[in-house]
Amino acid sequence: MKNKFTIVIVLLVSAILVLAGCGTSKSSGSGSSEDNTFKVGLEAGYAPFNWTQNDDSNGGVKIDGSAEYAGGYDVEIAKKVAEGLGKELVIVKTEWDGLVPALTSGKIDAIIAGMSPTAERKKTIDFSDNYYTSNLVMVVKKGSKYEGATSIQDFKGAKVTAQLNTFHYSVIDQIEGVDKKTAMDNFPAMRVALESGMIDGYVSERPEGVSASAANDNYVMVEFEEGFKTSPDDTAIAVGLEKGSDLKDKINEILTGISEEERTSIMDTAIKNQPAAK
């Protein structure tokens, strides 16, 4: 009886050790140690920063678990970062609201998605140095009375929106008497709303405004002499990382090696190669 009991105990301990050995651990922001990948999250719907396309043309990268590909400025930056880290780039298409949760849960190693390092986001995640800086603009319909606006106050009474959970939406409050509409999930949805007359304009960053107006003659980008008041972090774009990520210093080193001239060239090429806006 005693011997049988001892055998049972030994077997149980052995089983526990085996199960413990099967578990995998992932160090904070270090990427997958087993398959040597660098998993980057982006929404693939914010041209020219990132978009979805049907093939690998113009350097498109296959989206994980999909037949589609991702392209754009963010993808090109992600390629350089992955190369500098000596890892294989994996693009994980993720809705905007799901990017930070995906990062903090370990589903992705970084966010490279046109994300600004705002004070609110810094409470939850870390950021690299900036890899792009831009200004806020308004995208309106061609021929509308707002096309010639020079101040944000020219949009008094206008129906204006921006993307959900972005600082773009909060700055709308700086327009006196504006008809602030419900925030929308993504830019394609805002373009459809603009086209249909549901809104008179949406707030965006300059590259997206250039992209939208270049791809569709019905859209016009309005730049302001008297624009929105923003902080430097609001208009900057950086790589989102887990708190305390050991990738941060290396990524900053990689970004430092990309000159302003090269960044401008990458953005110009992205605008040129973007799919037609809908």
Side-chain angles (χ1 to χ4, degrees), residues 6-248:
T6 302
I7 291 171
V8 170
I9 293 298
V10 170
L11 290 173
L12 285 173
V13 171
S14 298
I16 290 171
L17 290 173
V18 169
L19 288 172
C22 290
T24 58
S25 61
K26 180 176 177 289
S27 60
S28 179
S30 61
S32 174
S33 59
E34 289 188 357
D35 56 14
N36 200 40
T37 58
F38 179 53
K39 296 180 180 178
V40 170
L42 47 80
E43 59 183 326
Y46 183 34
F49 288 100
N50 54 76
W51 64 71
T52 301
Q53 59 188 52
N54 295 323
D55 53 39
D56 62 358
S57 59
N58 300 316
V61 175
K62 197 169 187 303
I63 296 171
D64 189 43
S66 169
E68 297 178 314
Y69 293 74
Y73 183 83
D74 290 326
V75 174
E76 295 304 314
I77 295 296
K79 285 181 186 178
K80 291 183 177 294
V81 173
E83 181 181 2
L85 294 173
K87 295 180 179 291
E88 177 190 352
L89 175 63
V90 174
I91 296 294
V92 182
K93 186 174 181 178
T94 309
E95 292 295 326
W96 179 261
D97 281 355
L99 286 170
V100 171
L103 179 63
T104 56
S105 66
K107 292 180 180 178
I108 57 176
D109 302 310
I111 298 170
I112 305 182
M115 181 172 281
S116 299
T118 61
E120 187 63 28
R121 292 190 183 115
K122 285 180 178 178
K123 294 177 183 178
T124 307
I125 62 176
D126 283 345
F127 285 93
S128 70
D129 293 338
N130 302 335
Y131 67 88
Y132 199 82
T133 302
S134 185
N135 295 318
L136 292 184
V137 299
M138 192 84 76
V139 177
V140 303
K141 200 168 182 180
K142 188 173 183 179
S144 76
K145 66 178 183 178
Y146 301 105
E147 185 177 350
T150 58
S151 167
I152 61 171
Q153 302 309 332
D154 292 335
F155 282 83
K156 180 178 181 179
K159 297 174 289 186
V160 176
T161 192
Q163 188 177 26
L164 183 68
N165 291 331
T166 65
F167 84 99
H168 302 169
Y169 192 65
S170 63
V171 300
I172 295 174
D173 296 330
Q174 295 177 23
I175 305 172
E176 296 179 8
V178 70
D179 184 2
K180 187 178 183 180
K181 295 301 184 183
T182 303
M184 297 190 176
D185 289 336
N186 53 58
F187 283 83
M190 287 188 282
R191 294 188 191 122
V192 170
L194 182 60
E195 188 80 40
S196 67
M198 288 176 60
I199 58 173
D200 296 311
Y202 66 82
V203 180
S204 182
E205 291 177 75
R206 190 178 187 280
E208 194 281 334
V210 171
S211 176
S213 57
N216 191 320
D217 290 338
N218 289 329
Y219 306 138
V220 176
M221 178 185 71
V222 177
E223 296 185 85
F224 301 107
E225 294 174 10
E226 298 177 27
F228 295 103
K229 294 179 181 178
T230 61
S231 71
D233 282 349
D234 284 339
T235 53
I237 289 171
V239 179
L241 298 163
E242 285 186 85
K243 283 286 187 183
S245 171
D246 54 9
L247 292 177
K248 185 175 179 178

